[in-house]
Amino acid sequence: MAPRTSDVNRFLAAKPRLEAIAYRLLGSASEAEDLVQETYLRWQDADPDRIEVPEAWLTKVLTNLCLNQLTSARARRETYVGQWLPEPLLAGDPMLGPADTAEQRESVSYAMLVLLERLSPDERAVYVLREAFGYPHKEIAEILDVSEAASQQILHRARKHVAAGRARREIDETAARRIVDEFIAAATSGRTEPLVALLTQDVVAVGDGGGKVPARAKGFAGVKAVAAFLRGMFTPGRAKREVVGGSPAMYATTANGEPAVVAVLDGRVIGVMCLEVTDDGIVAVRSQINPDKLERVTERWAAADHGEPVLRDVY
C-alpha cells in the first residue's frame, strides 16, 4: 500500500532535524543520509496512526540505527588506512542543523566532531541530543532505554571526555577570510617563520586520504614540524601536480564553523583544510582529502558562487 501523503509530509517535516542528528552522531553525511532513509522505510512499515508522538518515534529509531552504525564503525576503523577524520560540510549546508546557540554551533564544529570520536556510542548519543538539540533527560532516557539518572551520568562522563578541547574561538565569515588569507600568505612565503607566528607551540596537522590519496599515516605535532610540513605542502612542484592531476585553486570559506581552505580542481573539490583556532593561534590543521568524503562538498560547491580564489595554480 502506498504511504499516505499526510504520513510522508510528517516525515519530511522531521527530516532536516533527523539528518542533523545523524551527522553529528556519525561524522559522515553519506552515512547520515542512508540511515535517515532507513528510518523512513521503517516509518512506512509502521502504523503512524498508532504512534502518539511521531517526532519521538522517529528520533528513537534513527538514534538506535546510528548507535549500531557507530559500534560497527569502530571495528571498521581498526583497518582504516591512515588517519580517520569526519566528512566536512561547508557553511550553509542544511545538515549542519540548528545554529542558534553557541552550544549548537560548537557541537558541529570540525574540532568537536573529532573529539566526539573519544566517546562511546551511548555517550555520543546523549551528548548530541542534550547539548545540540536540548532534549530533556526524560526523553533521552526513553530513546536509549535507560533511566533518567543513567542519562545524566552518561552526559557527565561525555562532558569530561571532551572538556579538554573546548577552548576554540567562534569565527564569523569575515574573520575566517582574514585568517585564511594570513595562513595562505604565510604558507606560500617559502619560509617557516611566518607560519610559526600563526601556530601554537603544540599545534598538530592531520590528513585523511583513506588510502585513496597519499597522506601521512601519522600526523605532525609541534610548531616546527607542522610549519615545515605546511611550507612543503604549498611549495610548487611537478610531483605534486602529477599526484593531484593538475594545479588547484585555493578558496577561503568556513567548514563546520571553522576557517577552511578549499582546494578546487576542474570544478571538483579535492581537499578541505579546516583550521582550529583559539585565542593563542591555530592549534590544529585537519585536511580531508579522501574523495569519498568530498562528494557532498563538491555537489554543494558547484551549486554556488564562491568568488575569486585566494590562490590560483598552487602547484
Side-chain angles (χ1 to χ4, degrees):
M1 182 181 297
R4 296 177 304 188
T5 300
S6 59
D7 295 334
V8 174
N9 289 339
R10 289 164 84 181
F11 177 82
L12 292 176
K15 185 178 178 182
R17 179 182 54 83
L18 296 175
E19 287 188 336
I21 291 173
Y23 174 67
R24 283 168 167 82
L25 287 176
L26 302 171
S28 167
S30 58
E31 290 180 3
E33 289 177 330
D34 290 344
L35 294 193
V36 170
Q37 178 63 24
E38 176 63 26
T39 302
Y40 175 66
L41 295 177
R42 297 193 182 196
W43 172 251
Q44 282 187 308
D45 291 339
D47 183 357
D49 290 335
R50 304 184 67 175
I51 297 173
E52 291 186 16
V53 186
E55 180 184 89
W57 188 92
L58 290 167
T59 302
K60 182 180 179 70
V61 170
L62 174 75
T63 301
N64 282 283
L65 287 172
C66 288
L67 289 175
N68 292 336
Q69 184 81 350
L70 284 170
T71 300
S72 62
R74 293 197 168 213
R76 293 197 308 272
R77 285 174 195 169
E78 291 180 1
T79 59
Y80 191 83
V81 178
Q83 299 280 334
W84 185 94
L85 288 174
E87 181 177 345
L89 297 180
L90 300 180
D93 193 312
M95 196 174 283
L96 290 171
D100 299 326
T101 68
E103 290 78 12
Q104 289 172 337
R105 293 189 292 273
E106 181 183 48
S107 71
V108 79
S109 73
Y110 208 65
M112 180 57 71
L113 291 179
V114 171
L115 284 173
L116 290 179
E117 289 297 307
R118 300 179 182 179
L119 307 185
S120 69
D122 281 352
E123 288 171 344
R124 189 162 183 163
V126 173
Y127 188 89
V128 166
L129 291 172
R130 179 65 180 167
E131 297 292 283
F133 295 90
Y135 279 80
H137 281 290
K138 180 180 180 181
E139 291 186 28
I140 296 174
E142 292 172 353
I143 290 170
L144 298 180
D145 291 323
V146 299
S147 67
E148 285 188 57
S151 176
Q152 292 168 348
Q153 185 60 33
I154 292 171
L155 179 63
H156 178 70
R157 291 201 308 267
R159 282 173 171 168
K160 286 180 62 177
H161 289 153
V162 302
R166 299 186 64 169
R168 65 180 291 272
R169 179 159 58 94
E170 285 204 61
I171 306 293
D172 61 27
E173 291 188 16
T174 300
R177 174 67 189 233
R178 176 179 54 77
I179 290 168
V180 171
D181 285 345
E182 292 177 356
F183 176 80
I184 293 292
T188 57
S189 68
R191 299 180 296 121
T192 58
E193 292 81 6
L195 281 164
V196 169
L198 296 178
L199 308 173
T200 63
Q201 290 298 311
D202 57 351
V203 63
V204 296
V206 182
D208 178 353
K212 300 187 176 184
V213 176
R216 184 181 170 92
K218 291 186 177 181
F220 294 87
V223 64
K224 291 184 178 180
V226 172
F229 161 69
L230 291 172
R231 183 190 64 187
M233 174 184 288
F234 283 88
T235 299
R238 185 174 66 180
K240 294 188 181 71
R241 289 194 297 274
E242 291 176 351
V243 169
V244 173
S247 186
M250 299 289 189
Y251 290 81
T253 186
T254 58
N256 296 77
E258 295 182 355
V261 182
V262 176
V264 181
L265 180 64
D266 298 330
R268 178 172 55 91
V269 175
I270 63 170
V272 177
M273 178 182 287
C274 295
L275 308 178
E276 182 182 353
V277 180
T278 69
D279 289 336
D280 296 324
I282 298 172
V283 298
V285 180
R286 300 184 178 97
S287 301
Q288 182 55 260
I289 54 176
N290 182 344
D292 292 343
K293 298 182 182 182
L294 296 173
E295 292 180 359
R296 184 181 178 94
V297 166
T298 294
E299 290 176 3
R300 292 192 61 84
W301 186 268
D305 179 17
H306 301 279
E308 293 298 312
V310 178
L311 184 65
R312 294 182 184 275
D313 299 327
V314 179
Y315 301 141

